[in-house]
Amino acid sequence: MPASPTAPRPNAVVAVLALAGIVVSLMQTLVIPIVPELPKLLDAPASDAAWAVTATLLAAAVATPVVGRLGDMVGKRRMLLLSLVLLIAGSAVCGLSDTLVPMVVGRALQGLSAAVIPLGISIMRDELPAERLAGATALMSASLGVGGALGLPAAALIADNLDWHMLFWLSGALGAVALVLVLALVPESAVRTGGRFDVPGGIGMAAGLVCLLLAISKGADWGWTGGTTLGLFAAAVVILLVWGRWELRSPQPLVDLRTTARRQVLFTNLASIAIGFSMFAMSLVLPQLLQLPEATGYGLGRSLLTAGLVMAPSGLVMMAFAPVSAKVSKAKGPKVTLMTGALIVAAGYGLNIVLMAEVWQLVLASCVISAGIGFTYGAMPALIMGAVPASETAAANSLNTLMRSIGTSLASALAGVVLAQMTISLGGFALPAENAFKVVMGIGAGAALLAFLLASFIPRHRPGAGSAARPAPAAGNGAKAASVH
């Protein structure tokens, strides 16, 4: 990789890394408008075309902890650049695809870029002044939601007016811009662990996660009590137990389970699963409510583009509340910020249950939920980095990101079951009933309250301690850097 800049400029570093995070989250959203059309566009059965989405989920789950660990070992900027290259390559493959196999390959390559956000947060810890760290990491963490919210209307506009391949060429172009800016403006951290990569640990974690997430994401299609689904769940349990035993005995594990078991890290990660569930429940419910026919009595009969525009303000709210989250964390500690955000999310879902008859009501509810998500997403990296050594931040942040992804996968599966089981008939078609949406919103509120409860077990954090401290620059090779804790 080319030599990195020697004099980091905090404002430029924050802006470029946040842009990279938004680009990656945009990639995940851009395909949503064409999902119903994929079977026709790719000349494939609907069950096979769905792999264009599933492949991204599985690749992201595997890549996030692996790339995070490699970032700690060989350089976070280096792995960030590699992730962006994979995003560009995957976008180009999808942009040239007219059949299923290359599309799935391209989407898998795009999924391998998912570690950009935790890598960016870790670079910020290494390079930014202490007084800038909390706000910058909150913004970087919120970029996941920002890109997702802004990507939907942009994707709908492109899908309605241009060739669908342009969605992927846009993703590739934005990835190229981010790549150039990272090369020019983001420095490489000298804080590294060195050592040898845990290949058996990587294979074991990948196999366990693929089995688990494949069962969750395809269980509705295959049947939750079917042999394939139950077999995958059983395989996931066995593989992850064996993997955990290996990691505890390995001198250089992929995931330091002893660090992960620390109370602050453990309960932050558990709360992250619940928060990831809550965030994605909103993304599943509101667009459907907006697009269902008015004849249902509760659908608003709007277009996909309108639905995207209604969701867009939520991303801006999430970004706006990132610095507020940082200020609360500085004054009261990130535990308080996480708990406050969880309560705001729960309140937003409660508001949504009683206010869902007008477009402005859905905008209001989504903005309240997103404000809470902005609080929680800003607090989680601070809690993680306040409890792990500086040389392990990329791996620890990547694991936290993975926990959120598991939460979103669980939300997708559970919401899918509820919406499929609670239906009404309209014109001979089964559509989700109004109470089905209310049940999903109630579950979303319950998940947020669970996150609040889990966060209450996090040790009390002294404001200004832990994550606010900027690690000292490494004074030599990787071995010396690893000792700067």
Side-chain angles (χ1 to χ4, degrees):
M1 291 290 179
S4 61
T6 56
R9 289 167 283 181
N11 289 338
V13 170
V14 173
V16 170
L17 292 176
L19 172 64
I22 290 172
V23 169
V24 169
S25 56
L26 274 171
M27 171 273 299
Q28 297 173 345
T29 309
L30 282 174
V31 76
I32 290 177
I34 63 169
V35 166
E37 304 296 323
L38 281 176
K40 181 176 68 175
L41 296 174
L42 301 176
D43 191 24
S47 58
D48 291 343
W51 283 101
V53 176
T54 306
T56 309
L57 168 71
L58 298 179
V62 171
T64 301
V66 170
V67 174
R69 174 63 179 148
L70 287 171
D72 284 331
M73 291 175 60
V74 304
K76 303 174 185 76
R77 175 180 179 266
R78 181 174 297 177
M79 297 311 299
L80 178 65
L81 291 170
L82 175 61
S83 296
L84 290 171
V85 168
L86 291 170
L87 170 64
I88 297 166
S91 300
V93 172
C94 291
L96 296 170
S97 298
D98 286 307
T99 56
L100 180 64
V101 172
M103 173 64 76
V104 172
V105 170
R107 289 290 291 162
L109 287 171
Q110 287 186 316
L112 294 176
S113 68
V116 162
I117 291 175
L119 287 170
I121 291 171
S122 302
I123 291 172
M124 287 175 174
R125 183 189 189 182
D126 294 347
E127 302 300 329
L128 296 182
E131 65 273 11
R132 293 293 309 276
L133 183 59
T137 55
L139 179 64
M140 185 72 192
S141 189
S143 68
L144 178 63
V146 173
L150 298 181
L152 189 56
L157 188 63
I158 292 171
D160 285 345
N161 296 281
L162 299 171
D163 180 77
W164 64 275
H165 293 93
M166 286 300 299
L167 294 168
F168 299 105
W169 292 121
L170 172 64
S171 175
L174 291 173
V177 170
L179 178 70
V180 171
L181 291 175
V182 170
L183 282 168
L185 298 172
V186 176
E188 179 62 271
S189 169
V191 182
R192 302 182 190 177
T193 62
R196 181 178 298 176
F197 182 74
D198 178 16
V199 175
I203 294 172
M205 174 175 255
L209 287 174
V210 167
C211 290
L212 175 64
L213 293 175
L214 197 55
I216 292 172
S217 61
K218 303 293 284 185
D221 295 332
W222 294 340
W224 292 107
T225 58
T228 301
T229 305
L230 294 178
L232 284 170
F233 277 127
V237 171
V238 172
I239 292 171
L240 290 175
L241 285 174
V242 174
W243 169 80
R245 185 177 177 84
W246 169 268
E247 293 296 278
L248 288 171
R249 294 185 170 188
S250 174
Q252 295 180 323
L254 174 69
V255 177
D256 188 339
L257 293 180
R258 291 180 178 84
T259 298
T260 304
R262 291 176 185 172
R263 201 164 119 193
Q264 182 160 320
V265 179
L266 175 63
F267 282 101
T268 300
N269 282 333
L270 292 174
S272 297
I273 297 175
I275 289 297
F277 188 107
S278 284
M279 185 194 78
F280 203 62
M282 172 184 70
S283 303
L284 292 166
V285 166
L286 298 191
Q288 290 196 57
L289 271 175
L290 284 159
Q291 293 178 79
L292 281 174
E294 293 181 356
T296 59
Y298 50 89
L300 299 179
R302 305 306 172 102
S303 66
L304 178 62
L305 177 58
T306 301
L309 292 171
V310 167
M311 298 296 291
S314 64
L316 300 177
V317 168
M318 204 176 295
M319 180 178 287
F321 272 83
V324 180
S325 167
K327 289 180 180 178
V328 175
S329 293
K330 184 176 181 181
K332 301 293 184 180
K335 172 183 176 177
V336 172
T337 309
L338 177 56
M339 295 176 73
T340 302
L343 288 179
I344 295 173
V345 172
Y349 276 111
L351 192 66
N352 206 173
I353 290 173
V354 297
L355 295 177
M356 52 184 288
E358 302 287 344
V359 170
W360 69 266
Q361 294 175 351
L362 298 187
V363 173
L364 174 63
S366 68
C367 286
V368 173
I369 293 169
S370 295
I373 295 294
F375 266 77
T376 61
Y377 273 26
M380 288 185 286
L383 286 164
I384 293 296
M385 291 190 295
V388 302
S391 57
E392 296 178 16
T393 53
N397 279 319
S398 295
L399 185 63
N400 182 251
T401 300
L402 175 63
M403 294 300 105
R404 287 186 251 174
S405 297
I406 290 174
T408 62
S409 299
L410 290 170
S412 178
L414 185 55
V417 170
V418 173
L419 296 176
Q421 294 298 318
M422 302 177 66
T423 61
I424 63 169
S425 179
L426 182 68
F429 293 95
L431 298 175
E434 182 178 14
N435 284 337
F437 292 109
K438 291 184 177 181
V439 168
V440 174
M441 292 173 195
I443 295 172
L449 292 175
L450 176 60
F452 174 86
L453 177 62
L454 291 167
S456 70
F457 290 98
I458 296 172
R460 190 175 297 277
H461 183 92
R462 188 176 74 257
S467 64
R470 181 178 182 271
N477 58 28
K480 292 180 180 178
S483 67
V484 183
H485 293 172

